[in-house]
Structures are given as C-alpha cells and as structure tokens.
Amino acid sequence: MEKKIYYNDLGTILLRTTPRATRYTLKISKGMITATMPEGGDEGRMLSFIEENRQKLLSALKKHPARPLLDETTQLQATTFRVEIFRTDRNNYYMTLKDGILRIACPAATCFESDKVQEILKDLLEKALRHEAKRLLPDRLMALAARYKFTCTGVRIMNSKTRWGSCSTRKTINLSLSLMLLPWHLIDYVLLHELCHTVEMNHSDRFWKLLDGITDNKALALRKELKEYHML
C-alpha cells in the first residue's frame, strides 16, 4: 500500500506498507519523507510517530532539501556544461551536448509537474553526466595517482546516490556520476580522498594527515564545503 499525505511544514509524505518492514520508520530522500510500516500496521500510530518526530524531521529537511523541478526556468551549471530546457513542436524528448550547453527539448504539451516527466528529464541529465564522467574522471584520477605516488587498480563510474566515491580493498575506486555537478577543486578533493583510502582504509588520524599533506592542509575545509552540494 502506498499513499501520499500533505503537511504544511513537512510537505508531502509517502506512507508505505511493506511485508519486509518490522517496525515503523521514517526516511528522508531529496526533500521527501517516506513513512514505512509493517503489513497490518496502524496508520494512526504512524501519524502519531510522525508528530513525535516533527522537530527532527524539520531539521533533517533543512539538511536534505528537495531539488527544484527541472523545467524551462532551470539554471543548472554542471562541471562542464550548463542546462537549457525548452519546448519544441516535436513529439519526443531529445538532447544535445555541444559547446558547453546541454539542451533538452521537450514536447510542447509537457507538464513539468508530472513525476513521469521529471524522471525522463533526470534520466537525460544522468546520461549526460555519465558521459562526461567517463570521458574525464578516469584520466584525472590516474594523473593524480601518478603525481602523488598512489596505486589504483581501476576506476568505475557508478550512479551512487549516497556516496561521491568509494575504494575497495583491491584498490578499485568507484566514482559517482554526480561528481560532474561539482566544481573541479571539489572533484579533485573526492578523487584524492579515495586515493588516500588505497593506503588507509579508514578515517583515522593517519588518513586525515595523509589527505592534508596533498591538499595544502585544507582537507577538513574542503570536506565542509562538499557538504553544501547535493547529489542528483
């Protein structure tokens, strides 16, 4: 079972019932609260649970705001291109990436408030970001590895929604395509962060000392700046 309810201060909340749930839980993703309860759960109890956690939810929503709708007013600057969305007489969606501009054309009757339309536009944006990430990030990572004498066995571009990057015990580095929404100095910070994990597989004092040494002692400042950005 799924249904949506609306609170003036909390926004739209998705109520879900699932057989896998063993308790009442609340989760926030991209500015929307999902309230999950076990099959046979009591909706009134869930609503009370939401009220009990209202202040925590309000605080969390400030840290994880919803992304604005992708529409004709969108002013999104990615690392290597800016986005232009417009209507056209054609009946299908299409995009072009040229001269630093990603142009996304939509049918004339497009309703940008539609969840389906937002998914289509996000998929097109993801495709462009993936293209740029594959084109640029592996070489940049390997260049940084060579400069600072790290050993990296491989790099993969992923569509992670929770991590900018990760490093396996085999020294393979995974990078999120959402990195291509960041300025270059923060991309380099993430790449160097993961390269340091090829030596220190934790966030110990040794790790931060190593990262500080290759970021002009700006590791914590860059980490703080990165938190101001959100993944796709």
Side-chain angles (χ1 to χ4, degrees):
M1 180 278 289
E2 287 191 359
K3 77 173 187 178
K4 293 181 178 179
I5 59 175
Y6 183 80
Y7 283 70
N8 284 334
D9 51 353
L10 297 176
T12 300
I13 298 177
L14 178 64
L15 292 181
R16 298 176 61 243
T17 298
T18 170
R20 291 176 294 177
T22 58
R23 57 195 178 92
Y24 292 75
T25 60
L26 298 170
K27 179 182 178 182
I28 292 177
S29 177
K30 294 181 174 60
M32 177 178 282
I33 300 168
T34 298
T36 305
M37 58 185 175
E39 279 192 335
D42 185 285
E43 185 176 318
R45 180 179 172 186
M46 174 55 83
L47 296 178
S48 296
F49 187 53
I50 292 171
E51 287 296 332
E52 292 167 10
N53 289 275
R54 178 183 289 272
Q55 292 306 314
K56 291 181 180 179
L57 291 170
L58 288 171
S59 177
L61 284 170
K62 290 181 180 179
K63 295 180 181 178
H64 305 281
R67 276 192 174 276
L69 288 178
L70 293 169
D71 60 22
E72 293 166 297
T73 67
T74 292
Q75 297 182 357
L76 176 61
Q77 178 66 56
T79 312
T80 57
F81 61 79
R82 62 183 174 86
V83 177
E84 288 185 1
I85 299 174
F86 59 96
R87 297 176 190 265
T88 178
D89 290 337
R90 289 175 55 166
N91 294 323
N92 63 317
Y93 295 84
Y94 68 94
M95 69 176 183
T96 59
L97 178 54
K98 185 179 179 181
D99 298 330
I101 304 175
L102 176 67
R103 294 181 173 87
I104 301 178
C106 308
T110 296
C111 174
F112 290 106
E113 290 75 21
S114 162
D115 289 344
K116 183 178 180 181
V117 169
Q118 289 300 305
E119 283 299 314
I120 291 171
L121 296 177
K122 189 177 76 169
D123 286 346
L124 291 172
L125 179 55
E126 283 181 0
K127 184 177 180 180
L129 292 172
R130 186 185 297 278
H131 174 272
E132 292 296 271
K134 286 185 174 182
R135 182 174 71 89
L136 297 168
L137 295 186
D139 286 347
R140 197 172 184 93
L141 178 74
M142 292 305 181
L144 288 171
R147 183 190 306 176
Y148 295 107
K149 305 299 189 291
F150 290 105
T151 299
C152 173
T153 60
V155 57
R156 296 188 300 173
I157 305 301
M158 313 291 284
N159 192 13
S160 172
K161 306 295 186 184
T162 57
R163 289 185 177 186
W164 296 106
S166 63
C167 179
S168 74
T169 55
R170 295 182 179 181
K171 299 185 180 182
T172 297
I173 291 177
N174 301 313
L175 299 173
S176 172
L177 58 85
S178 285
L179 282 170
M180 299 310 298
L181 294 170
L182 302 177
W184 276 116
H185 72 284
L186 289 180
I187 292 177
D188 286 345
Y189 164 74
V190 173
L191 301 186
L192 291 170
H193 184 114
E194 299 310 327
L195 285 170
C196 285
H197 278 315
T198 65
V199 177
E200 297 289 343
M201 288 297 295
N202 51 44
H203 290 109
S204 64
D205 289 343
R206 291 192 306 273
F207 169 85
W208 289 108
K209 183 177 180 180
L210 179 62
L211 187 52
D212 256 340
I214 56 177
T215 58
D216 296 326
N217 294 315
K218 296 178 181 177
L220 293 180
L222 290 167
R223 179 191 182 195
K224 182 179 180 181
E225 185 180 353
L226 182 62
K227 290 183 178 180
E228 299 299 316
Y229 289 81
H230 301 284
M231 309 184 82
L232 189 64

